C-alpha cells in the first residue's frame, strides 16, 4: 500500500486540533472556532474579490513601466521574448507548462500590453491574491490574538474554581469543537491546494504535486468546501 504523505500530514493536523480543543476547553475552543471560521472566510473573500481592483490600481501600471524599460520600440520585442522563453524553459516544467509565450501578438501596436496581459498578468494576479490573503490574515488574526490572550487569562483564573465533572465536560466539548476547527483549517488548505493545482493543470509530475492530486482527504474536503462557495460569489 502506497502511503500518501499529504493525507498523513492532514490527519496529524486534525488530531492536533482535537487534542488542543481538549486542553483548552469548550469556551476558548468555540471562540477560536468562530475566529477561524470568520477569519478564513474574510481572507478568501477579500483576496478573491479585491485582487482585480488592486491589480488595476497599483500593480498594472508599475508592471507596464518595467516592461517598457526593456522595450523602447517593438523592434526589441523578439529578442525579449526569446530571453523570456529561455527563462521559462529554465523553470520547473510544472510551472513552465502553464506559461504560453506563443500567445503574445508581436504585431500589436502595444507590445508591452500584449506581453503583460498574456504572460505576466496570471502570475501577478496570483501574487496579488496571495499578498491580500496574507495581509488580511496577519491583521485579523493578530488583532484577535490579543483579545484571545486576555480572555484566556480571565478563564484560567476561574478554572480553578470549577468542579472536576464540569471540567471533564468542558474538555469533551472543547475536543468536539476542536474537530470542527480542524475541518475549517483543512478546508482552507484544500481550497489553496485546489487553486495551486489549477495553475499546473495535468502536466505536473513532481512527487508532492502527485500526492496533492491523489490525496483522499483533500478530495473529500474539496467536494464539501465552504470556502469554494465564498469565492464563487
Amino acid at each position: 500500500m502506497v502511503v500518501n504523505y499529504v493525507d498523513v500530514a492532514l490527519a496529524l493536523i486534525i488530531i492536533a486540533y482535537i487534542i488542543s480543543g481538549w486542553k483548552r476547553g469548550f469556551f476558548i475552543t468555540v471562540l477560536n472556532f468562530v475566529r477561524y471560521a470568520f477569519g478564513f472566510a474574510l481572507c478568501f473573500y477579500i483576496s478573491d474579490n479585491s485582487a482585480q481592483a488592486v491589480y488595476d490600481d497599483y500593480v498594472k501600471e508599475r508592471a507596464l513601466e518595467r516592461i517598457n524599460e526593456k522595450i523602447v520600440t517593438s523592434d526589441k520585442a523578439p529578442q525579449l521574448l526569446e530571453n523570456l522563453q529561455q527563462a521559462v524553459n529554465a523553470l520547473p516544467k510544472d510551472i513552465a507548462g502553464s506559461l504560453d509565450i506563443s500567445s503574445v501578438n508581436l504585431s500589436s501596436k502595444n507590445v508591452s500590453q500584449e506581453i503583460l496581459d498574456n504572460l505576466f498578468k496570471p502570475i501577478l494576479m496570483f501574487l496579488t491574491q496571495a499578498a491580500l490573503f496574507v495581509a488580511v490574515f496577519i491583521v485579523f488574526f493578530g488583532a484577535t490574538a490579543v483579545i484571545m490572550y486576555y480572555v484566556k487569562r480571565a478563564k484560567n483564573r476561574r478554572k480553578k474554581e470549577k468542579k472536576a465533572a464540569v471540567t471533564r465536560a468542558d474538555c469533551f466539548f472543547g475536543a468536539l469543537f476542536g474537530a470542527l476547527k480542524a475541518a475549517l483549517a483543512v478546508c482552507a488548505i484544500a481550497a489553496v491546494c485546489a487553486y495551486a493545482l489549477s495553475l499546473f493543470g495535468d502536466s505536473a509530475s513532481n512527487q508532492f504535486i502527485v500526492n496533492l492530486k491523489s490525496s483522499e482527504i483533500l478530495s473529500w474536503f474539496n467536494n464539501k468546501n465552504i470556502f469554494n462557495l465564498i469565492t464563487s460569489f
Side-chain angles (χ1 to χ4, degrees), residues 41-152:
L42 186 66
C43 289
F44 277 104
Y45 183 82
I46 291 179
S47 65
D48 193 66
N49 289 277
S50 302
Q52 186 65 55
V54 172
Y55 172 82
D56 290 340
D57 293 341
Y58 300 103
V59 179
K60 183 177 179 179
E61 288 302 320
R62 290 173 174 80
L64 275 175
E65 288 174 6
R66 293 300 299 273
I67 294 173
N68 282 324
E69 287 176 6
K70 303 295 182 180
I71 306 177
V72 179
T73 66
S74 61
D75 294 336
K76 295 185 178 181
Q79 181 61 45
L80 177 64
L81 289 183
E82 182 180 342
N83 293 338
L84 286 173
Q85 184 65 66
Q86 292 175 359
V88 168
N89 291 339
L91 294 172
K93 67 176 183 178
D94 298 338
I95 299 175
S98 64
L99 301 176
D100 183 16
I101 293 180
S102 63
S103 61
V104 177
N105 181 13
L106 292 180
S107 64
S108 171
K109 293 182 180 179
N110 194 338
V111 178
S112 299
Q113 188 69 54
E114 277 286 318
I115 293 173
L116 176 63
D117 289 343
N118 291 287
L119 183 59
F120 291 109
K121 184 177 179 180
I123 300 172
L124 292 174
M125 280 293 294
F126 172 76
L127 293 176
T128 301
Q129 284 183 307
L132 284 171
F133 186 96
V134 171
V136 175
F137 182 92
I138 291 173
V139 172
F140 178 84
F141 283 94
T144 54
V146 175
I147 298 172
M148 291 298 296
Y149 170 76
Y150 287 104
V151 171
K152 288 177 185 178

